[in-house]
Amino acid sequence: MENNLKYTQNGDYLIPNLTLSETETKPLGKYGRMRKKYLQEHRPVLWNSMILSESLYPHLREIDEAANRRLELMMPELMKQNGVTESLKASDPMKWTGLMNNLKNQAEEVILAELIHA
């Protein structure tokens, strides 16, 4: 196997000159950033491995997209189960807002457990 790595002498040690290739760097969404923070703080070995294999950013993108899709699927079902309707929004906007906030928090707890902290 041919080794194309270049090395730099540092005292008695040869340090490989490692570089990462250019990757797409669109900004991550909320859930991608949450996953990134979780990996940095709680899974440092996996974090470093993903950085070196250049799979971190695609993974974070995938988590962000999956979490947003999951939220979009869960919210209408939760609204239906809890009787949150457009007529409630028109008749009692404060109650509707409170219920929507509660349902979103409930859905985000599921997303955190299943995707972010998995």
Side-chain angles (χ1 to χ4, degrees), residues 77-90:
E77 186 63 34
L78 288 171
M79 289 170 64
K80 183 178 173 185
Q81 289 173 358
N82 291 283
V84 179
T85 61
E86 287 298 317
S87 61
L88 176 62
K89 183 179 181 180

Side-chain angles (χ1 to χ4, degrees), residues 2-52:
E2 187 176 318
N3 185 352
N4 292 330
L5 283 177
K6 302 226 184 292
Y7 294 86
T8 302
Q9 183 90 29
N10 188 353
D12 293 336
Y13 300 100
L14 287 175
I15 310 288
N17 296 334
L18 299 175
T19 58
L20 297 174
S21 63
E22 293 294 319
T23 58
E24 180 184 348
T25 55
K26 288 183 191 173
L28 291 171
K30 173 183 177 180
Y31 300 110
R33 291 189 312 269
M34 290 171 82
R35 177 68 173 169
K36 179 181 175 184
K37 185 175 180 177
Y38 171 78
L39 289 173
Q40 282 177 309
E41 293 177 0
H42 301 283
R43 305 285 303 274
V45 174
L46 178 59
W47 165 259
N48 287 320
S49 172
M50 293 178 87
I51 286 175
L52 291 174

